[in-house]
Amino acid sequence: MVEHAIETEGLVKVYRGRGGEVRALDGVDLRVPRGVLFGLFGPNGSGKTTLISVLIGLQLPTSGSARVLGFDSVRESLEIRRRVGVLPENYGFYEHMTARENLEYLGRLDGMPARELKRRVSEVLELVGLKEWADAKVKGFSRGMTQRLALAQALLKDPELLLLDEPTLGLDPQSVALFKGLMEELVKQGKTILVSTHLLQELGHICTHAALIRRGRILAQGSLQELSKAYREARGYGYEISVAAGAEELVRELRGIEGVTYVALENDVIRVRARQDVTEQLSSIASKYRVRSLVPLAPSWDELYRFYQGERE
Amino acid sequence: MEKILVVARKEVLENLRSARYWGLVALFVLFYVASTYAIGFAIRGFGATLAGRQRVVLQLSTNVVNAFAYIAPLLGIALGFGAVAAEREKGTIRLVLSRPIYRDDLLNGKLIAAVVLIVAALALSTLIAVPLAVALQGVNVTAEDFARLLLLLAPALLLALAYYSISLFTSVNASRSSHALMVSLVLWIFFTFVLPIVASLIAFHVLGPPPAITFRPNATRPFQPGQEPAQLREYFQKYSQIVRTVQLASPNARFQELSSALFATRQQTGAYEELSKVLSSHWIDVAVLAAYIAAFLLLSYIFFLRRQETR
């Protein structure tokens, strides 16, 4: 089994039009490990949708290469599409057909045997909460229902890799919660999910790994810990200590630690910033007090994005 | 092959549920039935003689061929213009193409569905309209007449498929189905209305006005049918030749030539010409219609396979 679910090397995609050339992907080297929820974070127009289209062979790269589940995206795109569930951006359903009919049609195109397809259609409709709407025409579906159906079609063949392009765009909080819960559950089952979004705050916290993309270039990629390391080294380390008693005395003692640049107390919670990793010193001092918790603060994906963007530009 | 049939089945079912398809079938039947009124006049005018029967059959075939000449292209366009562009517009193409399916399989499935739907529409309207013509106007349609009417479905299918291929090609290259429809309709208008006028104008321009005919005193007609002056006959032969040459590449003209030949009868016996004879003298019509289908389908495949679905 290949180590990475997705691996790209120097992927370039250039659109040539009347207005000139647009480099939608500009040398993308991406590694998505297996079995993780991987975020592809970037603003609109950063190349996320193009990258997904290239990965499944809907578009051909101008140069560079991409391998998905070990298959080449140009020469073996059919093998990729056999194994990958995709929720594309700007998709649509056959509105005069019911949810079930749409899924059955797409399932047949996936090559699923009739009996398995029937069972699986019922399963995924239930999974996304559309069981009661199975025989309703898609024409009457709300945005949220359509998006759930789109997730259902991606899950239909029980793929080992899911590519979800802006899956929560325009959804109500209830549907967003459903999507997030499902994604986490699927990763627990061993699936790999690549989710692209510009809504970092909405999906960032459920992703364990990510690539930050801007103007067709990967700014940084890796696990949250790996990406946080460089951020902390540059911006310092943050900690949050929740104290039951003796907070003021603890604050005084913390200020004496070498490298600590900032200590503030607010409602029994002490916030600490330091130039280097002072976890050990903090733990040692905190053990002498009635401390409820000591948590090293991880930067948000938003902070990381801004940080790496600044690093590159 | 399995996926081709999956696409074809879905396309057929989707169209059978659409008002557009049944609207065209209804229009077809309406054209057909309306044409039988003229045949009613023919029956009353020519009676039951052999010549009279030949005229009735000729009238019937002319009307039916005209009805097919108008409706069959529209049927082809109706099935073709949205085949790819509408899927692109609605975004369904992104869901379909993210499946393990070859792009040519998608077009093959749509083509098979189009053939099924066109044959169904043509056969259905014939099967509804001919008995109606018999019942309402008393047209005496013999088994041989009926067989020829059914045979007419073959050139009508070719004509509908020629327009289907043209509109499929426009559909493959358009981002909006309305654009594909517009281009297809412009081509239909050109071949149906503009080119025949242009052909006539060219013929008149080349030949000048027809020779003058002198009426005999008190005559209601300048001459009896078939006894026209040689000078006039020659003029109109040349005229037809020029018109035919200008319209050589017109699918409509080729269809009308081929279809009319199917109903050509022998002078003495009134029996239809043998099919092999019709085909040997009209192979160019079949070839032109087939060339339209082959060329535009090939172009559609090439462009669709090369096109990258960016949106």
Side-chain angles (χ1 to χ4, degrees), chain A residues 13 60 81 90 94 153, chain B residues 17 87 99 308 311:
Chain A
K13 177 69 194 177
L60 299 175
R81 295 201 294 268
N90 304 319
Y94 300 99
Q153 65 78 31
Chain B
R17 286 181 191 173
E87 295 237 27
R99 266 51 227 184
Q308 300 189 36
R311 278 284 152 210

Side-chain angles (χ1 to χ4, degrees), chain A residues 252-270:
Chain A
R252 272 196 296 279
E253 204 166 335
L254 292 174
R255 281 185 177 139
I257 299 173
E258 197 191 332
V260 168
T261 54
Y262 172 83
V263 182
L265 171 66
E266 196 182 327
N267 301 328
D268 296 335
V269 174
I270 302 168

Side-chain angles (χ1 to χ4, degrees), chain A residues 4 12 44 58 62 70 82 86 91 120 123 128 137 158 170 173-174 179 188 191 216-218 263 278 281 283 298:
Chain A
H4 292 103
V12 173
N44 289 330
L58 269 186
T62 308
R82 246 187 260 283
V86 186
Y91 65 86
R120 194 66 192 143
E123 264 177 27
V128 299
K137 284 188 178 173
D158 196 18
Q174 198 188 344
F179 264 69
K188 275 183 204 159
K191 300 197 186 305
R217 289 181 178 199
I218 301 287
V263 182
V278 291
Q281 293 95 311
S283 302

Side-chain angles (χ1 to χ4, degrees), chain A residues 25 29 41 50 56 86 97-98 122 134 145 177 189 205 227 251 258 263 285 302:
Chain A
L25 298 176
D29 295 310
F41 299 146
T50 304
I56 57 168
V86 186
M97 284 161 61
T98 66
S122 300
M145 288 163 77
Q189 288 171 15
H205 67 277
L227 292 174
V251 165
E258 197 191 332
V263 182
I285 294 170
D302 246 341

Side-chain angles (χ1 to χ4, degrees), chain B residues 166-204:
Chain B
I166 292 170
S167 54
L168 180 68
F169 175 66
T170 62
S171 189
V172 161
N173 291 293
S175 50
R176 293 189 156 274
S177 53
S178 55
H179 295 168
L181 176 63
M182 215 163 63
V183 174
S184 305
L185 285 178
V186 164
L187 279 170
W188 176 69
I189 289 168
F190 174 76
F191 284 130
T192 311
F193 303 107
V194 180
L195 195 59
I197 296 170
V198 171
S200 294
L201 289 175
I202 291 172
F204 274 121

